Structures are given as structure tokens and as C-alpha cells.
Amino acid sequence: MATGKPVLLSDLVSIASDVPSNYIRPVSDRPKLSEVLSSDGSIPLIDLQGLGGPHRSSIVGEIGRACQTHGFFQVKNHGIPNKVIDGTLRVSKEFFHLTERERLKNYSDDPMKTTRLSTSFNVKTEIVSSWRDFLRLHCYPLEDYIHEWPNNPPSFREDVAEYCRNARELSIRLLGAISESLCLETDYICKALSKHGQHMAVNYYPPCPQPQLTYGLPAHADPNAITILLQDDVPGLQVLQNDKWVAINPIPYTFIVNIGDQIQVISNDRYRSVLHRAVVDRDKERISIPTFYCPSHDAVIGPAPSLIDDDHPALYRNFAYSEYYQKFWNHGLATETCLGMFKN
């Protein structure tokens, strides 16, 4: 499989001096990098230090305001040790620096595979490709999936498993705070997710000779409940705020958290799942690792009954998460969001 035309972008760029035509976006759908604003603190940075103590109500209020006004926030003092973060970033970069033959042992274009290396977004359906390779891992329950993960680099499973356990704990703490910020029981959202699902993508964005022509990922909203993003020190994430794209510069050892479509539904549109995208760098590779915390496929999602009244009718019908995720995958990122298909 490692012969002939490269399957992965990271192997293609080593022999291409220009962006191949199938990666070039139409003129109307290019990043317009000169028009992007700098974040300058526009995305709230929330200190979680006192979330388990007497300052909880204040921090819950901050989280609620961020969910309502931005759909995105950053967190520090989140409880995940620096050494766990460093280990995950290190072993992720090592994976993408393995030989082509070694990496391709994990390759699949089947979106139903729970562990797979692939490229772009959905190579079977998309017209224009995205400038990324990715390793997709299901991680909860961990013991169901870890044996499928790459065993090279040698510490990959151990390092990433430790990170996954920590990311799950943080997700549950944040979901509790988000529930409280909506005046729901602390465990409301966690219960709504049924048996829970957790997966992650290790995204690799190689240097791009013409970053103004393509995207790492085009504008999209996340289909899950919340996303916790770990990234290296190379900027790339941009968030749509007031119809302007805002670049979010990485802060070491913090995470970026965003609301997914399922929280928008549960909150009956009080909180919004916001469009975001990834751009690429001319000279530097970039690693980003989103953890997607989601309902299990059998979970039935709908607006929380206590958030429905005469002034706030239910905006969405109840649906199985499996139905939602299937529509999201089939439509790809071209439609940006498929929430409209589930509206009353």
C-alpha cells in the first residue's frame, strides 16, 4: 500500500511544491486570512481552580455566560497534569513521523471503524479535500478499544490512555457545571448522554505551500456534546464571532472547550454550537487533539423539559443520537451544521 501515489497528505507534500488542485477551494470559499481578527481575549479564559469548592457558583456562572455568548471558552487549572499533556503531544507527533509503511498499518477509509488513520474528512464523498491527516480513536470504555490502537510508538497506548482518562474526568466536571448553569440537576446532561461515548482525533496538518488556498478543516459545528481541544503552539483554530473569523492563539497547558450540537438541543437554543475552522501554516506542522464527548448511540436527545414553556416552545424533536451522527457524517462539512433537520 505504500507504493504508487501517496494515500496520506503528509506523504504527498514531500513530493509536491504546490497545493494539488483537489485541495484548492473555490475563490468564494477561501480563508481570506488578511480579514481574520486576533482573539485578544475575546474567548473567555476560565479558571477552574475552585470548581469543587466555595467558588463553584461563580465559576458555573462564568461557564454559562461563555456558553451563551461565545459557544467557546478556555480553561486553566483544569486538573490534567502537564506531563500527561506533554506526553500526548510528543507521542502524537512521533506517530506522524513514523515511516509511511508503519503509519499505513492503521489506515482505513471506513468511517465505521473505531480506530483508523485517514486523511481530509470523508474521502468517499467530498469534492474538495482538506489539508490534514488524522488518527481517529474511540476511547470509552477504554478497555473496549485500546487493543486496536497503534502500538508504535511503543508508549502510544499508555500515554494516550492516561490522557483519555483525564479528559473524560474533565468532560464530566464541565457537563455538570453546564447543567447547573441551565438550572438543571448537576447530572442532567450526563444522564441524557445515556452510556456515554468518547472519541478523539489526532489531527496532523503538514506545512502548506499556499495556505490561502485551502483549509485544514472548513467551517463546521461539532455534532457531539462538548469538545475539549488540546493543541501544540502553532495557531490554526479560528472561531466565527459576530460574523467575523477570530484566530484563537494557543496558551500552553490550557484547553479550548466548545459546545456541540447536542448541548444546543438540550438547552433549547439557550446555548449555541458555533462554527469554527482550522487553517494551515506555510512553514510549520501543527498537531491538534480534540476529544469529542458524546451521547452513546442509543441516547435519545431533546430539549430539557424544564427549559420548555409558553415563551420557549420545544425547538427540536426528540431523536436518537445514532440518527443525528449518521446525517452529520453523510452530509460532511459542506452544510456546516445539520441541526435544522431536527427542528420542530
Side-chain angles (χ1 to χ4, degrees):
M1 193 169 179
T3 59
K5 184 180 178 183
V7 174
L8 296 171
L9 171 66
S10 45
D11 300 310
L12 178 64
V13 295
S14 64
I15 58 173
S17 56
D18 295 308
V19 173
S21 59
N22 60 307
Y23 289 90
I24 297 176
R25 294 270 157 190
V27 174
S28 61
D29 181 32
R30 291 182 185 172
K32 300 183 179 66
L33 298 170
S34 62
E35 299 176 12
V36 174
L37 306 177
S38 174
S39 63
D40 292 329
S42 66
I43 303 299
L45 175 59
I46 298 175
D47 188 342
L48 299 183
Q49 183 74 55
L51 189 59
H55 301 296
R56 182 174 181 85
S57 61
S58 172
I59 297 169
V60 165
E62 284 186 70
I63 290 172
R65 286 188 293 276
C67 292
Q68 193 168 23
T69 58
H70 293 83
F72 269 78
F73 55 96
Q74 302 169 88
V75 294
K76 64 180 183 179
N77 292 322
H78 40 66
I80 301 184
N82 289 356
K83 66 178 182 180
V84 173
I85 292 171
D86 290 337
T88 302
L89 287 171
R90 184 193 68 251
V91 82
S92 298
K93 186 170 285 191
E94 287 173 359
F95 174 83
F96 281 101
H97 287 178
L98 293 171
T99 65
E100 181 181 12
R101 180 182 299 277
E102 187 63 31
R103 277 177 285 124
L104 285 175
K105 291 176 181 176
N106 304 279
Y107 183 83
S108 174
D109 60 10
D110 177 4
M112 295 300 106
K113 277 201 75 171
T114 50
T115 297
R116 70 186 187 105
L117 175 69
S118 194
T119 190
S120 189
F121 179 72
N122 186 343
V123 293
K124 291 183 174 180
T125 60
E126 63 199 10
I127 298 169
V128 183
S129 297
S130 296
W131 197 265
R132 74 155 184 168
D133 292 334
F134 64 93
L135 177 65
R136 191 78 174 213
L137 306 172
H138 280 234
C139 6
Y140 182 78
L142 200 53
E143 60 272 13
D144 289 357
Y145 302 110
I146 192 169
H147 65 279
E148 303 174 354
W149 294 2
N151 54 16
N152 193 7
S155 67
F156 185 91
R157 291 180 181 178
E158 180 183 351
D159 290 343
V160 176
E162 183 63 20
Y163 176 75
C164 288
R165 283 188 283 265
N166 277 270
R168 179 169 186 267
E169 289 175 11
L170 177 58
S171 299
I172 290 171
R173 289 170 64 211
L174 289 171
L175 289 173
I178 292 167
S179 289
E180 288 180 30
S181 74
L182 289 164
C183 298
L184 301 170
E185 293 291 324
T186 305
D187 62 355
Y188 182 90
I189 295 175
C190 277
K191 284 183 174 177
L193 304 187
S194 187
K195 296 188 288 290
H196 293 207
Q198 179 187 348
H199 45 105
M200 64 191 289
V202 182
N203 293 322
Y204 179 75
Y205 303 100
C208 178
Q210 296 159 295
Q212 73 278 11
L213 299 181
T214 190
Y215 289 110
L217 277 175
H220 64 284
D222 289 349
N224 47 292
I226 60 169
T227 302
I228 296 177
L229 179 69
L230 168 61
Q231 54 185 337
D232 64 13
D233 58 354
V234 179
L237 174 67
Q238 298 181 350
V239 177
L240 193 64
Q241 300 280 319
N242 301 316
D243 296 321
K244 298 281 189 182
W245 286 104
V246 179
I248 310 300
N249 293 319
I251 302 172
Y253 301 116
T254 66
F255 294 102
I256 294 173
V257 180
N258 66 279
I259 296 305
D261 291 348
Q262 308 312 305
I263 299 274
Q264 179 166 336
V265 171
I266 290 169
S267 74
N268 205 29
D269 272 5
R270 285 164 173 78
Y271 296 166
R272 293 300 181 105
S273 175
V274 173
L275 294 179
H276 52 287
R277 67 187 188 183
V279 297
V280 289
D281 191 276
R282 185 184 305 275
D283 304 308
K284 297 176 181 175
E285 62 184 3
R286 175 175 179 251
I287 296 275
S288 77
I289 307 174
T291 289
F292 305 105
Y293 209 79
C294 15
S296 50
H297 281 303
D298 65 342
V300 176
I301 303 296
S306 64
L307 301 180
I308 300 168
D309 55 35
D310 291 343
D311 296 324
H312 304 90
L315 298 176
Y316 301 92
R317 65 175 174 84
N318 289 359
F319 54 84
Y321 183 62
S322 56
E323 179 191 357
Y324 193 93
Y325 195 77
Q326 194 63 51
K327 282 189 165 60
F328 169 81
W329 183 258
N330 289 343
H331 281 75
L333 302 184
T335 54
E336 296 175 345
T337 178
C338 53
L339 273 173
M341 299 179 197
F342 296 87
K343 288 206 163 182
N344 279 327

